[in-house]
Amino acid sequence: MRAIRHIAVNVFRESVRDKVLYNLVFFAVLLISASYLLGQLTAGQDVKIIKDLGLAATSIFGLFIAVFIGIGLVSKEVERRSVYGVLAKPVRRHEFVLGKYLGLVLTLAVNIAVMAVALYLVLGYMAWMTPANVQAAWDAPALDPALLKAVFLIFVELCLITAVALFFSTFSSSILSAVLTFGMFVAGHFDADLKNFDQVVASPAAGALARGMYYVLPNLASFDVKADVVHGQPVPWALMGLATGYGLVYIAMLVLAAMFIFSRRDFK
Amino acid sequence: MQSAIRTEELTKDYAVGFWRKRPHRALDRLSIDVAPGEVFGFLGPNGAGKTTTLKLLMQLIFPTSGRAEILGQPVGAVAVRRRLGYLPENPYFYDYLTAEELLGYFASLFGYVGPERRRRVSMLLDRVGIGAERRMQLRKFSKGMLQRVGIAQALINDPEVVFLDEPMSGLDPVGRREVRALMLELRDRGTTLFFSSHILADAEALCSRVAILAGGRLTAIGQLSELLAFEIRGWELVVADLRPELIDRLGDVVRHHAEIAPGRYALELTLAEPPERLLAEVLGAGARLVALNPLRDTLEDVFMKHVAEASSHRMTTE
Ligand SMILES: Nc1ncnc2c1ncn2[C@@H]1O[C@H](COP(=O)(O)OP(=O)(O)OP(=O)(O)O)[C@@H](O)[C@H]1O
Ligand SMILES: [Mg+2]
């Protein structure tokens, strides 16, 4: 347990110093702030566009963090052989994997929190500048707490993507892991479409393959409640719970598989 | 007594080739036994399998067959790792940590906290000669500085057994001497040292026992005195007031001669006949004896001979 904690803290410390991270967070905050200008340009002065852009920026930049730093977690350590020093210490290999994962989850949580705070600051400024009667016409209040639901599910989705990155990086090179993880992200968003793919294509083999992939790939669309939140549609707690549970189960499977593979491999 | 390190027929095949993988034997049935407190030198040319052996002992790779034990327990046991230290070949750590943070991190993996952890970290960095640079991120370290950090981290837990893969690599002459002194200090404290090296002078200065590995096979193992003792290859006779024409009369038994000062000669004698007769003859002709020394092979000669034998053996079997 102690080892896991120290490894996680070390991941956090290392990634905080990595310039990549600064740049990503900087651009995300910049984009969120810039959305204010766009909000000014559009008629109706609605905060929708700010919320839309802000959540999208959080999600996309979070994805970059998850992939670029997530891949570095394990495959870069193996490629650069820094893993040799750690694994000669009283650390079990699965503890190493788990510590790495938790460290990145911590990094993600802090970064997403920073972006969410930036978003709320822009929205708060917008609300302060806008007369009450105009605000009354908005679908949802500027500082709508429901935004946090969307942010939370983005976080769960990114934790899942990180687990995917971790899984690939336990046995493949960093570049290959990055490609595979991005691929998984894209495919995961179209996952729901795969279910009924057999009705669109003639070949039964392709249909079966699509159906197989539907069950294997994570269904990332289930974490996407951005549009509902922005338009003031209610997001039921049951849906939140279900999506979170689904994410956790998927993450657990990936992390366990990563531990299993990592514990048996040679470091050449 | 229980061994500190023991391997039994330890073998490692790497899969090589892109399309059709075929096994490449990097280590072939290595059996060695190192007693506690020994300083064991693991020698061999490039590609001999030294690093492979050390990685097997650290369980960074798994053996194809055979087994290995450290302090009586199978390698890989966490309880054993508490009691050992390891310096990897060309060590590399984390770019964005400082030397101090890296050592602190490793110390915490052993459960050291607070002032005890700080004390260990600063003591070891002092010991390996890392001064104010300890607050610098490791990506700015030179190769030799990284090597020093690597040695420090291998000793963070006062290990009973220390494995060093080419400890002198990348060090300047001062650094080498410091590391040599450090190793002697560890030996005097009873630490078992197992290190690979290309620098035979280091092995000669430090080791109680050496093994020579070539092409994945053990070709020689023993006390330095044993390995070197039976390899006398002649005598060196130094005499003064010698008339030079006498040298020609001595014949083929003088392999080589040199005048080192007026009238003073160093003669290298072969083993063809015992030196006593020659000595009598030279002294009978009025010369004075200055010195008579056996010429032994250096470790380098022994090394070259074993490595050459191994490669000719491989050529005939392949
Ligand atoms: N990852 C690997 N994949 C395939 N072959 C390998 C791998 N690592 C080492 N080898 C092979 O195993 C053999 C032994 O290599 P090893 O690194 O153990 O040598 P070494 O004695 O440490 O050499 P050096 O003195 O150069 O460090 C070599 O023939 C090498 O080509
Ligand atoms: Mg080597």
Side-chain angles (χ1 to χ4, degrees), chain B residues 48-210:
Chain B
K50 304 181 295 293
T51 298
T52 302
T53 306
L54 280 157
K55 280 163 79 177
L56 283 165
L57 288 168
M58 295 301 112
Q59 211 180 58
L60 292 169
I61 52 178
F62 294 91
T64 306
S65 64
R67 23 188 265 113
E69 279 178 1
I70 299 173
L71 295 166
Q73 295 184 56
V75 292
V78 167
V80 168
R81 292 210 214 127
R82 264 180 212 298
R83 299 159 65 191
L84 61 83
Y86 170 53
L87 166 73
E89 184 176 39
N90 303 323
Y92 180 88
F93 305 103
Y94 301 96
D95 279 345
Y96 293 99
L97 295 189
T98 67
E100 221 168 36
E101 286 168 342
L102 178 84
L103 259 73
Y105 168 43
F106 283 167
S108 64
L109 292 178
F110 283 100
Y112 299 117
V113 288
E116 167 67 3
R117 179 170 65 186
R118 273 199 298 282
R119 188 190 65 77
R120 269 172 195 270
V121 169
S122 80
M123 195 252 316
L124 274 167
L125 286 171
D126 288 343
R127 195 70 193 75
V128 297
I130 299 284
E133 312 91 282
R134 67 184 60 180
R135 300 234 160 78
M136 222 162 72
Q137 292 189 355
L138 292 171
R139 68 202 157 99
K140 297 176 188 154
F141 271 46
S142 73
K143 178 169 156 58
M145 284 158 73
L146 265 187
Q147 183 79 6
R148 288 162 192 254
V149 173
I151 291 170
Q153 64 83 34
L155 304 176
I156 195 80
N157 54 325
D158 286 331
E160 291 165 53
V161 188
V162 180
F163 298 85
L164 305 165
D165 201 347
E166 297 189 26
M168 307 296 182
S169 138
L171 295 179
D172 59 27
V174 179
R176 282 190 186 179
R177 176 173 295 186
E178 284 169 1
V179 169
R180 218 188 255 201
L182 181 63
M183 287 170 76
L184 287 172
E185 190 186 304
L186 289 170
R187 180 194 67 185
D188 294 342
R189 272 197 264 154
T191 310
T192 310
L193 288 170
F194 184 98
F195 73 99
S196 79
S197 185
H198 293 290
I199 302 166
L200 300 171
D202 288 331
E204 245 172 327
L206 292 165
C207 294
S208 49
R209 223 150 50 100
V210 297

Side-chain angles (χ1 to χ4, degrees), chain A residues 2-3 6-7 10 13-14 17-19 77 80-93 96 100 263-268, chain B residues 12 14-15 55 58-62 78 81-82 84 86 88-90 92-97 101 105-106 108-111 137 139 153:
Chain A
R2 182 183 64 218
H6 288 300
I7 291 168
N10 192 53
R13 182 161 54 179
E14 240 215 321
R17 297 212 179 133
D18 197 335
K19 290 202 188 68
E77 281 228 11
R80 295 187 177 174
R81 292 173 292 125
S82 52
V83 73
Y84 291 7
V86 187
L87 291 183
K89 306 285 178 285
V91 172
R92 292 177 184 85
R93 288 195 186 181
F96 177 81
K100 286 269 156 184
S263 298
R264 277 156 188 76
R265 65 164 293 180
D266 273 1
F267 298 110
K268 293 183 175 173
Chain B
K12 179 67 185 177
Y14 286 115
K55 280 163 79 177
M58 295 301 112
Q59 211 180 58
L60 292 169
I61 52 178
F62 294 91
V78 167
R81 292 210 214 127
R82 264 180 212 298
L84 61 83
Y86 170 53
E89 184 176 39
N90 303 323
Y92 180 88
F93 305 103
Y94 301 96
D95 279 345
Y96 293 99
L97 295 189
E101 286 168 342
Y105 168 43
F106 283 167
S108 64
L109 292 178
F110 283 100
Q137 292 189 355
R139 68 202 157 99
Q153 64 83 34

Side-chain angles (χ1 to χ4, degrees), chain B residues 2-21:
Chain B
Q2 189 190 62
S3 345
I5 305 161
R6 210 159 71 87
T7 69
E8 236 174 66
E9 306 264 296
L10 197 60
T11 302
K12 179 67 185 177
D13 290 341
Y14 286 115
V16 291
F18 192 72
W19 288 118
R20 270 195 306 131
K21 300 261 184 207

